[in-house]
Amino acid sequence: MPPSTQKRVSNSTGYPYISPWLMFPKDNTYNFVDPVHDNEAYRVSFCESVQGATTHYQKDGWLLMSKKRKVFFCNPFTREIIRLPDLPDGYNISIICFEFSPITPGCMVFAVDQFAPMELGILIIMRSGDIWLPIDFPYTNVKKLMPLHGTAPILYKNGFYCVYCDGTLGVYDTMKNGGWSVLEKPKKIFKNDMHPNLLVECGGDLLLVKLGHLGAAVRIFRLDFSVMEWVKVETLGKYMLFISETSCLSSIAPNSRMEYMMCFPRVYLNGEGILLYSLETGSYHSSSSAENSLNIFYETEGWLSNCTWIQPNWSKCTQQELDWLKIIE
């Protein structure tokens, strides 16, 4: 069962939430762990249609999931489903995210065709839309950029940003008639570095988390838009980060002990809690104990399969909101 309502607060979107929880499927249930509050754990049974589905993205407590050509939103806390039109034939979608809550009129789903041979294939669909709209960008005069599979795009200031391992950014501008541009200048600092990058918004800034081999080096950079360069960040202030391949979130730390911390979708040693990384000490430790520390991922369980950080959302929807084709006033 979810925690009592006394622990909830409200954010700018109006729905109740607490600090992000790590969600991962196991034994036909959603399993949740809250690393901020003593690793409190909860379990919620699956909706039948969710079994075997892949989780791609999370926002406002809604999961964006797929089963082959079937795409749908799921709120695991209320067990509600919003079904979208099927993806068209011929597209191999592995990178997909959305803008705004799916129950709002401005919600747009953005998908990249990972295997388009000659052009960058993008699909979009808006709330109340009954078909996916293809938008193809030939690679003429534009260096080919394929965002890595398993690295979620991020919506930042009216643009979907995708990042490649060398720091190159691809941007789909939602305000300029869907223009696509490639920002190559920020990549200079990561030349010949093939380790993964993850994007996260924190305190109004666009941050990049760079992971080294086995997590031996964790670096954070802020994109300075005035010169279009990545600038190294030494501190997160009062923020902490929650990192995964499907959702990267930031949150104000509940206490000074959690400041400078990054939470990973890994289990420390013998199941002693979620793996945390401290920017202050440059080491890993368990969310349940700081006594033992590690310098790399060694002796921790791998990235939990099909997991995501999620903002708990217990708000129930109307039947009209659950029908994707209905226009929301």
Side-chain angles (χ1 to χ4, degrees):
M1 295 294 293
S4 62
T5 55
Q6 284 82 355
K7 291 180 65 175
R8 304 182 200 174
V9 294
S10 295
N11 71 352
S12 60
T13 61
Y15 69 84
Y17 82 108
I18 57 177
S19 297
W21 294 356
L22 181 64
M23 187 212 82
F24 57 96
K26 185 179 181 180
D27 300 329
N28 293 329
T29 62
Y30 297 107
N31 290 260
F32 302 94
V33 179
D34 181 359
V36 173
H37 295 94
D38 300 321
N39 291 300
E40 291 178 343
Y42 312 98
R43 301 180 72 183
V44 179
S45 60
F46 273 158
C47 310
E48 183 177 351
S49 59
V50 168
Q51 295 184 23
T54 298
T55 301
H56 294 279
Y57 198 71
Q58 181 281 151
K59 187 177 180 65
D60 293 347
W62 286 91
L63 304 174
L64 181 57
M65 311 182 79
S66 71
K67 272 186 176 182
K68 297 182 179 179
R69 293 177 57 225
K70 305 285 184 186
V71 180
F72 56 91
F73 292 100
C74 174
N75 181 334
F77 299 92
T78 63
R79 304 178 80 245
E80 293 172 316
I81 299 289
I82 299 176
R83 291 180 172 81
L84 280 68
D86 289 354
L87 289 167
D89 291 329
Y91 281 84
N92 296 286
I93 299 299
S94 58
I95 296 176
I96 185 169
C97 62
F98 61 99
E99 177 184 23
F100 305 126
S101 166
I103 62 172
T104 60
C107 179
M108 179 175 71
V109 181
F110 165 87
V112 176
D113 184 2
Q114 183 74 5
F115 304 109
M118 299 301 296
E119 57 192 10
L120 179 66
I122 289 176
L123 289 172
I124 62 170
I125 191 169
M126 299 289 296
R127 171 77 197 205
S128 76
D130 59 355
I131 59 171
W132 292 82
L133 300 176
I135 305 176
D136 295 326
F137 296 95
Y139 286 121
T140 305
N141 300 323
V142 177
K143 179 181 177 180
K144 180 176 180 179
L145 172 69
M146 268 293 106
L148 293 179
H149 171 63
T151 302
I154 185 173
L155 178 69
Y156 179 78
K157 294 185 177 179
N158 300 316
F160 286 111
Y161 284 75
C162 307
V163 65
Y164 194 64
C165 55
D166 65 359
T168 301
L169 286 169
V171 187
Y172 178 83
D173 195 320
T174 62
M175 301 297 290
K176 295 181 179 179
N177 299 317
W180 172 263
S181 57
V182 176
L183 310 179
E184 296 189 54
K185 187 177 179 181
K187 77 175 184 179
K188 292 182 179 180
I189 196 170
F190 305 125
K191 186 177 181 180
N192 300 322
D193 188 341
M194 297 301 292
H195 292 103
N197 298 317
L198 297 165
L199 296 175
V200 59
E201 182 178 0
C202 181
D205 290 324
L206 181 62
L207 302 185
L208 180 147
V209 178
K210 166 66 75 173
L211 303 180
H213 179 62
L214 292 178
V218 178
R219 295 169 291 165
I220 300 178
F221 299 86
R222 173 183 60 85
L223 185 61
D224 184 340
F225 281 88
S226 64
V227 293
M228 292 309 299
E229 293 181 357
W230 292 112
V231 179
K232 191 171 183 181
V233 173
E234 302 292 345
T235 177
L236 295 173
K238 294 186 177 297
Y239 287 89
M240 58 186 304
L241 302 182
F242 302 81
I243 301 300
S244 76
E245 294 176 341
T246 54
S247 180
C248 294
L249 304 172
S250 63
S251 175
I252 294 178
N255 52 60
S256 58
R257 181 178 66 87
M258 301 299 288
E259 293 177 2
Y260 312 107
M261 292 293 180
M262 296 173 57
C263 298
F264 286 84
R266 302 178 70 98
V267 178
Y268 188 92
L269 296 175
N270 299 316
E272 296 177 5
I274 301 300
L275 187 69
L276 302 184
Y277 179 83
S278 170
L279 280 175
E280 190 173 31
T281 64
S283 61
Y284 296 92
H285 64 83
S286 165
S287 55
S288 62
S289 173
E291 293 182 1
N292 299 319
S293 63
L294 300 171
N295 293 322
I296 58 176
F297 284 163
Y298 184 68
E299 293 188 3
T300 70
E301 294 185 18
W303 290 63
L304 298 173
S305 177
N306 211 18
C307 68
T308 190
W309 292 102
I310 188 168
Q311 303 156 309
N313 176 3
W314 292 276
S315 299
K316 298 283 287 186
C317 296
T318 65
Q319 286 302 310
Q320 183 181 32
E321 290 172 332
L322 293 176
D323 186 343
W324 176 262
L325 298 179
K326 295 292 185 183
I327 298 176
I328 303 297
E329 300 295 337

